[in-house]
Each structure stands twice: as structure tokens, then as C-alpha cells.
Amino acid sequence: MSTELILLIGCLALMDTLSPATLGVTVYLLLTDKEKLTKRLLVYLLTVAGFYFAVGVSLMLGLVFLLEIISGVFQNRIVSWTVFIIGAILFITSFYVPTKKNSDLPSPKSKSILSMVALGFTTSLIEVGTAFPYFAAIGIMTTSNLSWMEWSSILAGYNLIMVMPSILLFLFYLLFGRRMQKPLKKLRVKIADNTGSALSWIMCIVGIILIFNSLDYL
């Protein structure tokens, strides 16, 4: 497992920290939940991270199996061209993503523990289809001949990084209390106003990474 691989996947994980739904729910809970905030927020974040980890493991096991079959016939060239084409499509499409203004962010209808679990699954399902950095990282790992211990550790670290902004917001809230009210309200508005633009530049960067990562194998 090379340092370059870890740095590349780390950069992709940092892009996934800008999840508007996860951050939006976190900000909502910090602004409105005064009782059992710690337990509810941690349950929500664990559900999100656990969902993505399970998706990642399922994809890794499935993709590794498929790549073993494909590599024997096509010597991985078809995989490289597929990755290149996907990267090119993401790069081109990123310039045409409409900017969504004042979009509604998910918020819990109740604040029970079960509702936090349900909300975690809901926001994960909403965003998993656009989790381009995550899918790019999984694609890179499947072509890097990693052992299951290596890629499972990377996946766990990736998901920890992905929810880290929410954890940091919670820590700042514990430290500064009411002084965080105004910054959190501004952040919630900003997240709602810029979901489209965030998706656009994430698609662009992931597309470039996939293109350059596949050039040596075309």
C-alpha cells in the first residue's frame, strides 16, 4: 500500500466531507435539539458511516470478483477504458449541473433514536447515488491489489473522515455553546444555497482524477 495511494484516497475522502445532507442534518440538530443531543447525533452519524461502509465492502467484494474475471480475458484494458470514459463524462457533465438555490435539506420529523437511524439511512440513500469521490476511491482500490485488511481499514478511515466535519461542529458547539447559534444558522443557509455548485466541482475533480489514474493502462 503506497503513500501515493493513501494520499489520493485521502483527497477523495476530504471531498466527501462536503456532504450537504449530512452537514445540514447536523446543523439542524445542533440548532434545535437541547435534550440527548450527543446520543442522537452520534447515532445519526454512526448510521451514515455504517451505511457507506457496508456499501463500500459490498462493492469491493463484488468489483474484486469481477475484475479477477475481466483481467484474465481483457488484461484490465477494458477496465481502464471504462474508468477513463466515466471520468470524462463526469468532467464534462460537471459544467452543466444546475445550481440549486434554497433547496430543502432533510430534517427529522421526530427526535427519537429510531428516527435518527431512519434519517441516517434516508440521507445516505439520497446521497449515495452522487457519492462520486467514494466510488472513485473504491474503483482505485480494486485495481491496486490490496489485501482485505488494507482496503477495509482504508474504507473505515474514509468514512471517519467523511463525518469528521459534523463531529468538529459538535465539538465547537460543546465548547462555545450559544455563541455558535449565529454561525450555525449562516452555515445552514449556505449549505442549502450551494448544494448544486458543490456537486459540480466534486464531479469535475473526481473526473480528472479518474482520467489521469487510467491513462497508464489504456
Side-chain angles (χ1 to χ4, degrees):
M1 184 165 51
S2 66
T3 304
E4 291 80 4
L5 176 66
I6 295 175
L7 289 175
L8 177 58
I9 295 178
C11 290
L12 291 169
L14 288 175
M15 281 189 279
D16 251 339
T17 60
L18 299 176
S19 163
T22 304
L23 278 175
V25 171
T26 300
V27 172
Y28 176 87
L29 290 174
L30 293 177
L31 287 172
T32 61
D33 199 348
K34 304 302 179 185
E35 298 179 0
K36 299 182 180 179
L37 171 63
T38 301
K39 180 184 291 187
R40 287 165 180 161
L41 181 58
L42 289 180
V43 167
Y44 170 72
L45 294 178
L46 283 173
T47 302
V48 172
F51 177 90
Y52 273 94
F53 182 78
V55 169
V57 170
S58 300
L59 288 175
M60 283 296 300
L61 293 176
L63 288 176
V64 169
F65 175 74
L66 289 175
L67 283 175
E68 287 177 353
I69 297 175
I70 293 172
S71 61
V73 180
F74 299 99
Q75 297 181 348
N76 274 332
R77 179 164 293 184
I78 190 172
V79 177
S80 298
W81 273 107
T82 301
V83 171
F84 178 84
I85 292 170
I86 292 173
I89 291 172
L90 286 175
F91 178 76
I92 295 170
T93 307
S94 67
F95 294 98
Y96 299 95
V97 175
T99 302
K100 299 177 182 179
K101 294 294 183 180
N102 298 318
S103 57
D104 294 328
L105 293 173
S107 57
K109 294 181 179 179
S110 68
K111 295 174 183 175
S112 67
I113 298 302
L114 285 179
S115 70
M116 293 298 102
V117 174
L119 185 62
F121 278 113
T122 301
T123 53
S124 298
L125 287 171
I126 289 172
E127 294 203 320
V128 72
T130 57
F132 301 115
Y134 195 48
F135 296 140
I138 291 171
I140 291 169
M141 283 190 288
T142 56
T143 58
S144 300
N145 297 319
L146 300 176
S147 68
W148 72 269
M149 289 190 66
E150 289 175 325
W151 61 253
S152 62
S153 299
I154 292 175
L155 278 180
Y158 189 109
N159 284 284
L160 177 61
I161 293 173
M162 191 171 64
V163 298
M164 189 57 67
S166 294
I167 295 173
L168 291 176
L169 279 178
F170 174 61
L171 293 177
F172 280 126
Y173 179 82
L174 292 179
L175 288 173
F176 300 106
R178 291 184 179 180
R179 283 177 288 180
M180 287 292 293
Q181 291 292 314
K182 287 185 178 180
L184 287 173
K185 289 178 181 178
K186 290 180 180 179
L187 179 60
R188 179 169 171 80
V189 172
K190 201 165 188 177
I191 292 171
D193 286 346
N194 293 282
T195 54
S197 59
L199 176 61
S200 176
W201 73 261
I202 287 174
M203 288 173 64
C204 179
I205 294 174
V206 171
I208 292 172
I209 290 174
L210 290 179
I211 289 171
F212 280 98
N213 193 65
S214 61
L215 287 178
D216 292 338
Y217 305 99
L218 295 180

